[in-house]
Amino acid sequence: MARIRTTVDGLVYEDDVEPRMLLVQYLRERLGKTGTVIGCDTSNCGACTVHLDGLSVKSCSVLAVQANGSEVLTVEGLERDGQLHPVQQAFHDNHALQCGYCTPGMIMQSIDLLGDNPDPTEQEVREGIEGNLCRCTGYQNIVRAVQDAAQKMKPGATASQPASVAGGGA
Amino acid sequence: MKPFTYARPSEASEAVAALAADPDARFLAGGTNLLDHLKLGVVEPSQLVDVNRVTSTAIEDLPDGGLRIGAGVPNSDLAADPRVRERYPAVAAAILAGASGQLRNMASTGGNLLQRTRCVYFADPTTPCTKRDLSQGCSAREGWARYHAILGTAADGCIATHPSDLAVALVAVDAQVQVLGPDGARTIPIGELHRLPGDDPTRDTVLAHGDLITAVDLPAPTPAVRNSTYRKVRDRASYAFALVSAAVALEVRDGTVADVRIALGGVAHKPWRATVAEAALRGRPATDDEFRAAIAAELDAAEPVRSPLGGNTFKLPLVTGTVVSTLRGLAGGTA
């Protein structure tokens, strides 16, 4: 067993874990954070995307021990005071999901993308989410949602909440 | 996944010693390729030695105008570095052509060079593979060989290709790899790091067990390297490995090729420096006919695979077209 100390969605956790435990297993099975889902378990589909120290990673391809000393942000840590993150809201407003299974990963990767590029073109959005697969092939509305969120997160935009770009402030 | 123990040393020398003491231990950097192999049972280490605290994550200027890239620098940081983008455009372009944002955030510079082939038979322990086990034959030769080698192969041997995009660009810019091993530190030219399969395809590189890549040095950029790019051809527009790729650097003076570097990916067990083509082009007019003749000379030695499930003879015209159009673009024409 290995001792790890992580901050997940703003709270500090200390646990003993098996070295082979994946970060996504730790989040779901130890912490009960089932908002982060397991899709392919082979680092292909991106459904399990979370932020590790502010950068998007595929949590099925990171060991829990690799997150020791780090901050993890999951889709469950995005809302503030009952308000959805602007990217979550944009996915809702644009109906950017069909079955919804890819949605947590799509949202986390989109937030990472907008942190690097606050005003992406359609092509840049498609490249930015190249590591996230939607098996319903519902990409059109996903791309629209990311661009919509980008507009609403611009400085001066009249959003329903202060725009917070990378990491949702955590 | 089989259980293993985990160590997190605080000095590089400790990490090297830990591996030297345990033949079944492996280094863990980003883990993006290793974790897949742990799940698939391609490797079953006794211990993972985490090198994240012992390898540098800095990109430093060298006195000669080059750059030293710490082995722990994430691929995304390397691709975003303004010095890399300006002086070594092929390197930045190669990284961005590979994987996806999440993997580039996690994957390290050293680990990228040591990732293993994506040959489907290598990744599937239920099929014979001479790269996993020397006592077995190669399944790809009679199977799905679309992504496999056409250069540097041996009769009946392994035809796996090296999957790294970054390594191809580093070969074109003559990078030097800094290694710390059980017997001390040494420098390996990147072109000599990866090996051809020969009689031991289980070994991808010349590194011995316990050798740790600590940094990659880029020499001061020449005019050709400043005028370099990376072109990757694949089955879909993104998020796929190369069928063929080319890192090309070109300096043209008065219509004549003054300097040229060509490294190819997707064609061999190692990033393939096209030295025959380079020699044929130096001092020659920068024209399509010369470009075409030079790459044809390089491909004289090619031995494409003809397998029942579709071979890879298509790579001959694909390499030619990719290299010629990339050279044309760098020479100022339409790529």
Side-chain angles (χ1 to χ4, degrees), chain B residues 7 9 13 19-20 23 26 72 76 93 97 114 136 218 241 261 263 271 317-318 325:
Chain B
S13 57
L19 243 71
R26 298 286 175 122
S76 45
L114 300 182
Q136 300 178 347
L218 306 184
F241 287 90
R261 323 273 189 90
L318 194 57
S325 68

Side-chain angles (χ1 to χ4, degrees), chain A residues 64-132:
Chain A
V65 290
Q66 288 176 279
N68 181 38
S70 293
E71 284 197 18
V72 179
L73 178 70
T74 79
V75 72
E76 295 188 29
L78 292 178
E79 59 94 19
R80 286 285 175 279
D81 305 324
Q83 295 262 25
L84 294 178
H85 184 282
V87 174
Q88 289 175 304
Q89 189 63 49
F91 269 63
H92 178 85
D93 293 345
N94 290 274
H95 194 67
L97 57 91
Q98 290 178 32
C99 85
Y101 204 81
C102 71
T103 309
M106 285 285 183
I107 288 173
M108 297 311 289
Q109 181 58 18
S110 300
I111 293 171
D112 183 277
L113 163 67
L114 293 175
D116 286 339
N117 182 351
D119 192 14
T121 63
E122 180 188 334
Q123 185 59 32
E124 286 168 343
V125 173
R126 289 182 183 275
E127 284 170 8
I129 59 171
E130 68 181 326
N132 293 71

Side-chain angles (χ1 to χ4, degrees), chain A residues 18-20 22 41-44 46 49 52 55-58 60-63 65-66 68 109 112 130-132, chain B residues 1-6 8 28-31 35-36 39 48 50 52 99-106 238-239:
Chain A
E18 259 198 276
R20 64 178 170 168
L22 302 173
D41 197 29
T42 58
S43 75
N44 278 292
T49 299
L52 185 62
L55 295 173
S56 62
V57 300
K58 296 186 175 180
C60 79
S61 294
V62 176
L63 295 170
V65 290
Q66 288 176 279
N68 181 38
Q109 181 58 18
D112 183 277
E130 68 181 326
N132 293 71
Chain B
M1 203 187 296
K2 294 246 172 98
F4 48 81
T5 59
Y6 172 78
R8 197 174 220 223
L28 169 71
L35 258 68
D36 281 343
K39 294 177 194 170
L48 292 189
D50 191 333
N52 280 290
S100 59
Q102 294 98 319
L103 295 183
R104 292 192 294 266
N105 283 338
M106 201 66 201
S238 83
Y239 203 37

Side-chain angles (χ1 to χ4, degrees), chain B residues 58-72:
Chain B
I59 303 174
E60 299 168 62
D61 285 295
L62 291 172
D64 70 350
L67 291 177
R68 171 160 293 175
I69 303 159

Side-chain angles (χ1 to χ4, degrees), chain B residues 5-331:
Chain B
T5 59
Y6 172 78
R8 197 174 220 223
S10 51
E11 298 287 341
S13 57
E14 276 178 61
V16 169
L19 243 71
D22 181 352
D24 295 321
R26 298 286 175 122
F27 290 130
L28 169 71
T32 52
N33 190 214
L34 180 61
L35 258 68
D36 281 343
H37 288 164
L38 294 174
K39 294 177 194 170
L40 293 165
V42 173
V43 286
E44 293 175 341
S46 57
Q47 178 185 195
L48 292 189
V49 177
D50 191 333
V51 296
N52 280 290
R53 284 201 305 186
V54 306
T55 48
S56 166
T57 55
I59 303 174
E60 299 168 62
D61 285 295
L62 291 172
D64 70 350
L67 291 177
R68 171 160 293 175
I69 303 159
V73 172
N75 289 179
S76 45
D77 287 5
L78 183 57
D81 189 278
R83 295 163 294 178
V84 174
R85 296 169 75 98
E86 186 204 332
R87 301 180 211 167
Y88 310 93
V91 173
I95 295 167
L96 294 177
S100 59
Q102 294 98 319
L103 295 183
R104 292 192 294 266
N105 283 338
M106 201 66 201
S108 70
T109 301
N112 186 309
L113 301 184
L114 300 182
Q115 63 178 303
R116 315 243 21 221
T117 184
R118 295 316 197 277
C119 173
V120 291
Y121 304 103
F122 173 74
D124 179 358
T126 66
T127 60
C129 169
T130 186
K131 180 177 268 301
R132 275 198 326 273
D133 182 345
L134 269 183
S135 70
Q136 300 178 347
C138 170
S139 297
R141 282 191 172 272
E142 295 298 319
W144 198 69
R146 182 170 177 77
Y147 279 83
H148 292 69
I150 57 171
L151 287 163
T153 56
D156 301 327
C158 175
I159 50 171
T161 49
H162 197 268
S164 168
D165 294 296
L166 171 62
V168 177
L170 292 179
V171 165
V173 306
D174 285 324
Q176 303 279 322
V177 181
Q178 305 291 345
V179 176
L180 182 68
D183 299 324
R186 66 189 195 279
T187 304
I188 302 173
I190 181 87
E192 295 168 24
L193 176 70
H194 298 96
R195 36 187 312 283
L196 291 176
D199 57 6
D200 188 1
T202 64
R203 293 178 59 215
D204 296 347
T205 70
V206 299
L207 298 182
H209 185 72
D211 280 342
L212 175 68
I213 294 178
T214 53
V216 175
D217 291 351
L218 306 184
T222 61
V225 166
R226 285 180 181 274
N227 183 41
S228 65
T229 191
Y230 184 76
R231 186 138 182 201
K232 180 173 180 178
V233 183
R234 41 191 162 171
D235 277 329
R236 56 180 181 233
S238 83
Y239 203 37
F241 287 90
L243 290 165
V244 161
S245 70
V248 182
L250 180 68
E251 182 192 2
V252 177
R253 265 187 254 143
D254 302 326
T256 298
V257 175
D259 187 16
V260 61
R261 323 273 189 90
I262 303 169
L264 302 173
V267 298
H269 195 257
K270 59 185 281 186
W272 187 268
R273 183 76 180 257
T275 50
V276 175
E278 291 179 10
L281 275 177
R282 271 193 205 94
R284 303 293 302 174
T287 64
D288 271 21
D289 286 347
E290 294 285 343
F291 298 156
R292 206 173 298 280
I295 197 63
E298 186 73 43
L299 293 175
D300 266 353
E303 292 186 56
V305 181
R306 292 170 179 84
S307 87
L309 290 186
N312 59 17
T313 50
F314 70 90
K315 286 195 177 182
L316 297 174
L318 194 57
V319 169
T320 305
T322 302
V323 172
V324 170
S325 68
T326 306
L327 282 165
R328 186 194 303 138
L330 291 173

Side-chain angles (χ1 to χ4, degrees), chain A residues 5-13 23 26-28 31-36 48-54 67 70-81 85 88 104 108 111 167-170:
Chain A
R5 182 186 164 91
T6 54
T7 303
V8 181
D9 296 338
L11 291 178
V12 177
Y13 297 88
L23 178 57
Y26 177 69
L27 295 172
R28 291 176 59 85
L31 306 187
K33 290 190 165 282
T34 51
T36 302
C48 65
T49 299
V50 301
H51 292 187
L52 185 62
D53 291 330
S70 293
E71 284 197 18
V72 179
L73 178 70
T74 79
V75 72
E76 295 188 29
L78 292 178
E79 59 94 19
R80 286 285 175 279
D81 305 324
H85 184 282
Q88 289 175 304
M108 297 311 289
I111 293 171

